[in-house]
Amino acid sequence: MSTAEDRIHSLEIPLVENALLVPSAAVAEVANPTELFPMPGAPRWMLGVVGWRSLAVSVISFEALMGGAPSFVTAASKVVIFYPFPGRARTDFYGVLSAAEPRPQHVSSGSVDEEDPARLPDTLLIAAGVRVRDRTLLIPDFDVLRRTLYPQEPAAGAR
Amino acid sequence: MAESNQYLCVVLGGVEYLLPGAASLAIEQRHALIPDDGGGPLVAWRQSRQGRWPVYGLDGMLRPARPETWQRAVFLDGAPTPVGLAAEEVRLLGRTDLNVTPFTPLGPPPTRAGHYFDGAWVDGQKVVFVFAARGLAAALRAGGAGGRT
């Protein structure tokens, strides 16, 4: 039986073909995608920017980050807004486009099985996969994600 | 020339952008400039004592373009000479009229001089990007050089 200590409050973020599993503590808010403003010069995985709490928040397609086709906003979409990475400016929130309403997951070592790495997308952005009720949830590698989003930032040891 | 406590609202291809007033060296009306009919994004020149300053056109996504209806050119500092942006419309806005917040674009910068933007003004749901002067100048020069940055 899992204890409160080893239970992690997580959020399942549905993507078009799979789903991410992230700590709820990393998420500031789940928002409805309002108007998405395209940003000149942006990489293909950056879908645009939304206005949120007087800030401009970049919205990314995790599918495109992993090398697939960029996702797009549908009636079911949500924007999962993440807190800035540690050490970044307090305005550096970023959003991930979710294909549907994210679902809370209470994950503990006893409630999930590790997914066979051979069945995971071939990308450094995914640190691991877990099976929850016969579904595979992908756990992002936030260090790799940070380096992808902010490639001009000094390496971790130099920060 | 705009003052440091002002922003210029610049319209390109129907899209509004902001430029900090301190970043503009000069603003000229189209009729005061020497037209260039070469057919590319170089649309005009400004003759100054320091030489000729080129004016380039960009579309709403900052791609090199030759706009038909531009009215004014906004000049930015740059090497070897200042460089101008052909705008459909230029308005002065006081800093107190806007709430500009820092904005860090994600991903690799599109020019060697950095990203195009370093701030944004969110007005309700509307987002207006604020140009980083060095990135914009690099975009203009890249347009004039055929896309090289």
Side-chain angles (χ1 to χ4, degrees):
Chain A
M1 182 180 157
S2 66
T3 64
E5 286 76 24
D6 75 352
R7 202 178 307 139
I8 299 172
H9 294 277
S10 305
L11 202 61
E12 176 184 341
I13 302 176
L15 302 180
V16 174
E17 291 186 355
N18 38 40
L20 300 176
L21 186 68
V22 302
S24 299
V27 174
E29 190 171 303
V30 176
N32 286 314
T34 51
E35 193 173 354
L36 201 56
F37 292 84
M39 194 187 76
R44 62 191 284 277
W45 46 259
M46 218 290 263
L47 299 174
V49 167
V50 293
W52 176 75
R53 295 187 191 172
S54 83
L55 297 175
V57 175
S58 299
V59 178
I60 62 179
S61 163
F62 217 92
E63 292 90 336
L65 261 182
M66 293 192 295
S71 46
F72 50 88
V73 175
T74 68
S77 298
K78 299 287 177 184
V79 177
V80 181
I81 297 175
F82 285 77
Y83 286 107
F85 287 99
R88 295 288 319 172
R90 59 188 177 84
T91 50
D92 282 349
F93 292 85
Y94 63 97
V96 172
L97 187 69
S98 173
E101 183 86 49
R103 291 183 284 270
Q105 292 280 0
H106 299 291
V107 175
S108 64
S109 54
S111 67
V112 298
D113 295 314
E114 191 172 345
E115 178 59 283
D116 177 359
R119 295 171 60 94
L120 300 179
D122 184 18
T123 167
L124 294 174
L125 285 158
I126 300 302
V130 293
R131 291 196 65 76
V132 178
R133 288 186 282 278
D134 288 333
R135 285 178 302 117
T136 299
L137 305 181
L138 308 175
I139 300 173
D141 185 322
F142 280 93
D143 288 334
V144 175
L145 179 61
R146 179 178 185 151
R147 290 199 298 273
T148 305
L149 301 188
Y150 303 103
Q152 290 186 298
E153 207 176 52
R159 279 201 295 269
Chain B
M1 183 173 159
E3 296 176 9
S4 60
N5 63 347
Q6 293 175 320
Y7 280 96
L8 297 175
C9 179
V10 178
V11 180
L12 306 174
V15 182
E16 291 183 344
Y17 294 99
L18 295 175
L19 178 71
S24 86
L25 287 178
I27 303 169
E28 287 283 8
Q29 295 205 39
R30 180 175 183 171
H31 65 71
L33 300 166
I34 303 162
D36 188 295
D37 298 323
L42 175 63
V43 295
W45 296 90
R46 182 190 196 223
Q47 187 66 52
S48 76
R49 278 189 296 259
Q50 293 83 31
R52 298 210 307 168
W53 299 356
V55 179
Y56 296 109
L58 298 174
D59 70 7
M61 288 299 287
L62 307 190
R63 294 171 296 224
R66 194 171 178 85
E68 293 289 326
T69 57
W70 66 282
Q71 299 296 324
R72 293 173 194 268
V74 179
F75 289 90
L76 310 168
D77 206 356
T81 64
V83 61
L85 168 65
E88 290 158 26
E89 192 181 331
V90 179
R91 296 193 304 273
L92 284 174
L93 298 172
R95 282 184 185 260
T96 53
D97 300 330
L98 312 168
N99 178 26
V100 170
T101 53
F103 171 68
T104 308
L106 301 181
T111 77
R112 285 189 201 133
H115 285 286
Y116 294 148
F117 311 110
D118 60 9
W121 172 38
V122 177
D123 183 18
Q125 301 294 338
K126 180 181 167 189
V127 176
V128 181
F129 295 110
V130 179
F131 281 123
R134 292 184 67 221
L136 174 58
L140 291 167
R141 294 220 176 269
R148 295 188 302 274
T149 52

